Amino acid sequence: MKKLLIKEKITTLCQRVSAAFTAPTEKQARVVLFVAGLGMIALSLSIDAIAQSGNGGKVLTTYNDLKIANAVNAVLTYLEGSLGALVMAAAGIGAIFSAAFGQYKAAMGLMIIAVGAFILRSFMSTFFNDDNIQP
């Protein structure tokens, strides 16, 4: 009797799992997505916690980013120079035309591009390590 009850419960469980995989309901999909998101957050937080646990907080990996820094510095120099002025002028004229034709979203996007051409180095120094790309 007891063996039969366990077998029925296992069969019911397997049927429900099979049904969830073949035709999941909206509630089941939300639960799966929630658990997946929670797992990603937990894993991403734990990586920062254990990233340097074995060596007393010392960074053992060293790299030379001089070539990357030189390339970024060259691009930023162009954007802050005559190319940046050209981009800003073209985006400003495009913003004026877009606003004149009633496309205000496009006009605002072009204005952000126009201003962003000159303040890109400031954004990079705010959000990234910029020791090697100072002007």
Side-chain angles (χ1 to χ4, degrees), residues 1-13:
M1 175 92 174
K2 193 171 189 180
K3 199 175 204 183
L4 185 62
L5 183 63
I6 294 174
K7 186 175 182 180
E8 288 176 3
K9 289 196 183 244
I10 290 174
T11 304
T12 306
L13 178 68

Side-chain angles (χ1 to χ4, degrees), residues 93-132:
I93 291 170
I96 291 170
F97 282 131
S98 294
F101 291 120
Q103 296 177 347
Y104 297 109
K105 278 188 177 181
M108 296 313 312
L110 287 169
M111 288 305 296
I112 290 171
I113 289 171
V115 173
F118 285 104
I119 61 172
L120 184 61
R121 189 180 296 265
S122 298
F123 280 143
M124 288 186 68
S125 66
T126 301
F127 295 113
F128 301 107
N129 179 13
D130 66 337
D131 291 338
N132 293 332

Side-chain angles (χ1 to χ4, degrees), residues 3 5 12 15-16 18 26 29 31 37 39 42 47 54 64 79 81 89 92 97 100 103 107 121 134-135:
K3 199 175 204 183
L5 183 63
T12 306
Q15 288 173 348
R16 287 186 180 181
S18 175
E26 185 177 345
V31 168
I47 287 173
N64 185 6
L79 280 177
F97 282 131
Q103 296 177 347
R121 189 180 296 265
Q134 293 298 323

